[in-house]
Amino acid sequence: MLTVLSVLVLSACSALGGSSSGGQGGTEGGPERPTLRVGMLNIVDTASFYLAQERGFFRDEGLTVEPVVAQGGAASIPAVVGGSLDVTFGNYVSFFLAQNQGVGRFRLISDGYQAGPNTFVLVVRPDGTVRAPRDLAGRRVAVNTFRNIVELNARSALQTNGVDPNTVQFVEVPFPDMAAALAAGRVDAAAMVEPFITAAGRSSGAIPVLDTASGPTADIPLGGYGTTEAFATENPRTVAAFQRAMLRGQQAAADRANVEQVLPTYIRIDRATATLINLGTYPQSLDGTRLQRVADLMQQFALVPGRFDVQPLLAPP
């Protein structure tokens, strides 16, 4: 009897020791992939991610996240398919195009950002000849990547203001380089997002001529976080942990003071600029009806050949 009891006690101690040494990621209920490489854009849209990282929300879920900065979703989404990234932030146009074109099969796992007034703006030089939307016909306009939400919003706003968007020459320029390209005359206007809109206004006097997130694109969903269908299926606990951490980040970003505090930690702006920027919203759930607006706008401007249904991309709650 004593021998049996000793064996049982030793077995229990061994089991307890093995469980505690593995951490949350090593337990049955922890994430299958405790370390994630996440494609990021260093823009206002991703403030909730950096808040979640700074405040330990990912760590609380047993995750270590490594942000990998990209120029746009058009660049980072193929990296998710190739496996060099596990998750990426991307604009919804790029996700929908990639799915529609067969680049991969995707699952959206967290909303990221939704436009507000003056958060997507065409800006021009103060000493240039462009003074109104009508002056943009035949001009060069900078976008961060082609065929994304920035270009789609610009096309919609130009058409709404009587300018044929097909007469505009879109030029690919990374967000951080747009102000310099504008000042040097390499482009006539730049489709900027915050904080670059406010920073360009303060540094070079750049002036807005058109809010591209207005009219048909007012309050339009801009971007969120996605992965491949295969990754989501194979790593459900990892995805759920990421979603919980991001929800806390989105909730924290609802307080403007938190966004102002975190922006200078990952974007080259000062606190003064952070207090002046225009902010959109950080939705706390993925909503197929809202996201369908983006897909329908893509159909209107012939980015997809017919109606694209976003519902298959929404990860289960």
Side-chain angles (χ1 to χ4, degrees):
M1 179 69 73
L2 289 173
T3 301
V4 172
L5 287 173
S6 298
V7 170
L8 290 173
V9 170
L10 287 171
S11 298
C13 291
S14 174
L16 288 171
S19 173
S20 62
S21 64
Q24 186 173 348
T27 64
E28 185 178 345
E32 302 90 349
R33 297 281 294 273
T35 300
L36 295 177
R37 288 171 56 84
V38 182
M40 295 301 296
L41 272 69
N42 285 349
I43 53 179
V44 167
D45 309 37
T46 55
S48 58
F49 172 90
Y50 286 103
L51 282 168
Q53 184 183 44
E54 179 183 86
R55 299 189 177 195
F57 299 158
F58 292 116
R59 183 177 63 248
D60 291 346
E61 297 292 342
L63 294 174
T64 299
V65 295
E66 177 189 347
V68 180
V69 179
Q71 185 170 328
S76 60
I77 288 172
V80 171
V81 176
S84 59
L85 295 176
D86 302 304
V87 175
T88 190
F89 177 85
N91 72 88
Y92 290 123
V93 171
S94 293
F95 273 119
F96 299 163
L97 275 178
Q99 178 98 347
N100 183 257
Q101 294 170 352
V103 174
R105 296 190 61 82
F106 303 94
R107 286 292 181 269
L108 299 174
I109 58 177
S110 174
D111 207 338
Y113 195 58
Q114 180 171 302
N118 299 310
T119 56
F120 268 55
V121 176
L122 288 178
V123 302
V124 299
R125 292 165 49 190
D127 59 348
T129 57
V130 177
R131 285 292 176 267
R134 64 178 178 273
D135 299 328
L136 289 167
R139 304 291 186 134
R140 295 162 299 170
V141 176
V143 293
N144 66 316
T145 59
F146 296 132
R147 294 167 63 84
N148 71 350
I149 191 69
V150 175
E151 182 180 336
L152 185 64
N153 281 356
R155 286 182 176 274
S156 176
L158 287 166
Q159 181 170 286
T160 300
N161 284 268
V163 179
D164 181 354
N166 293 320
T167 66
V168 172
Q169 180 186 353
F170 291 101
V171 180
E172 199 170 52
V173 180
F175 284 130
D177 300 334
M178 284 186 182
L182 188 63
R186 293 194 297 273
V187 294
D188 302 296
M192 288 188 178
V193 299
E194 291 286 22
F196 303 105
I197 299 166
T198 298
R202 297 189 75 201
S203 64
S204 61
I207 55 176
V209 293
L210 182 59
D211 181 353
T212 65
S214 61
T217 53
D219 302 320
I220 196 165
L222 300 174
Y225 299 81
T227 186
T228 62
E229 181 182 85
F231 185 92
T233 301
E234 295 165 7
N235 302 282
R237 296 193 305 274
T238 303
V239 170
F242 184 87
Q243 289 174 315
R244 289 190 297 269
M246 280 303 306
L247 175 58
R248 294 175 69 187
Q250 296 286 95
Q251 291 169 341
D255 184 340
R256 181 186 174 98
N258 292 334
V259 176
E260 292 178 6
Q261 172 268 316
V262 79
L263 285 179
T265 68
Y266 70 95
I267 303 178
R268 293 180 181 176
I269 60 169
D270 54 32
R271 278 293 177 85
T273 301
T275 64
L276 297 174
I277 63 172
N278 297 295
L279 283 181
T281 57
Y282 299 86
Q284 296 178 23
S285 64
L286 284 164
D287 184 297
T289 301
R290 287 191 301 105
L291 297 187
Q292 191 63 46
R293 288 183 59 201
V294 179
D296 292 346
L297 199 63
M298 292 170 65
Q299 180 183 359
Q300 178 185 341
F301 286 92
L303 289 184
V304 289
R307 186 179 188 276
F308 178 84
D309 184 10
V310 306
Q311 200 62 41
L313 282 81
L314 300 184

